[in-house]
Amino acid sequence: SKQITTMFKSAALVLLSRSSHSFLIHHTPRRSLPLCFTHKMSTQTEATQNDVISPPVARRDEEKVCFAGVGPADWDAKMPRQSNDSSEKLLDPPVAIPDPYGWLRDDTRENKEILDYLRAENEYSQSMTTHLKGLQDSLYDEFLSSIQETDYTTPRSREGFWYYTRTFKGESYSAYCRAPKSSDTFSIN
């Protein structure tokens, strides 16, 4: 069994739990608790090392860098080095910035290593939040009960057309709509 000793330190109750070579410290607000007490816990509530799920760890590519500043002489002019609105001068010479996780970028979404890593991340997230499934469902249902799923915005007239957005029950995204303007009034069927 574990022995837990509690004592007050300033305005917080500090709970020290000694287990093998580590200490766990929990801060609890000071209310109407006794100044000091000892409590024995059964070992049935102790988590074993096998109960702890480790998150996937992405490899680091320490050789990978990206450059901030002016592009090299053969740089493709279609690839901007800064925003069009920026009035700041670019760094010259460019500065190498470490980018150890840059390998995770794949605009084609076809790199097997990246997809496997993302699947592992998603599986880990799902396993760590499984106990919250009931709460997720109840919050989702509560959100849906307070909104009108099938709806549309007020149409705006511009350059001979009516522009508006529509949402449909069960769909995640809005539909952007345009209709020819034949009169000053508009009706959505």
Side-chain angles (χ1 to χ4, degrees):
S1 73
K2 285 185 179 180
Q3 186 175 31
I4 297 176
T5 305
T6 58
M7 64 195 92
F8 283 113
K9 267 196 172 178
S10 65
L13 175 70
V14 178
L15 177 68
L16 296 176
S17 167
R18 194 166 95 198
S19 169
S20 64
H21 300 291
S22 63
F23 288 93
L24 301 172
I25 301 175
H26 304 279
H27 293 283
T28 312
R30 182 179 184 178
R31 293 215 168 79
S32 59
L33 298 172
L35 285 177
C36 188
F37 66 91
T38 301
H39 177 68
K40 300 232 181 216
M41 287 179 57
S42 70
T43 55
Q44 294 173 338
T45 60
E46 294 177 23
T48 64
Q49 189 68 13
N50 297 335
D51 293 341
V52 179
I53 299 171
S54 302
V57 178
R59 70 172 170 82
R60 292 178 58 97
D61 184 356
E62 300 300 337
E63 304 290 319
K64 180 112 172 126
V65 295
C66 61
F67 291 94
V70 297
D74 61 342
W75 186 261
D76 183 6
K78 294 177 187 170
M79 297 292 290
R81 297 298 294 171
Q82 71 186 59
S83 73
N84 294 334
D85 299 339
S86 177
S87 61
E88 299 294 322
K89 288 185 66 159
L90 289 171
L91 299 172
D92 193 9
V95 176
I97 299 172
D99 190 12
Y101 299 109
W103 67 271
L104 282 168
R105 181 179 181 109
D106 177 27
D107 293 334
T108 63
R109 311 293 193 262
E110 295 176 359
N111 185 316
K112 184 172 174 15
E113 181 184 12
I114 295 171
L115 295 175
D116 290 344
Y117 173 73
L118 293 176
R119 273 189 213 98
E121 281 279 354
N122 288 336
E123 289 170 8
Y124 173 75
S125 296
Q126 290 297 322
S127 69
M128 295 305 290
T129 59
T130 301
H131 66 285
L132 299 173
K133 183 68 174 140
L135 177 61
Q136 289 171 344
D137 292 341
S138 99
L139 287 173
Y140 181 75
D141 292 341
E142 184 178 335
F143 290 147
L144 285 184
S145 71
S146 66
I147 63 170
Q148 184 176 343
E149 287 187 80
T150 302
D151 200 6
Y152 59 90
T153 60
T154 303
R156 294 173 298 144
S157 172
R158 190 174 72 206
E159 299 176 10
F161 291 93
W162 292 106
Y163 292 88
Y164 60 98
T165 59
R166 296 185 77 164
T167 55
F168 300 96
K169 185 173 183 169
E171 298 294 322
S172 298
Y173 301 100
S174 299
Y176 295 88
C177 305
R178 178 177 91 157
K181 184 177 179 183
S182 57
S183 70
D184 286 339
T185 61
F186 182 73
S187 173
I188 297 177
N189 297 328

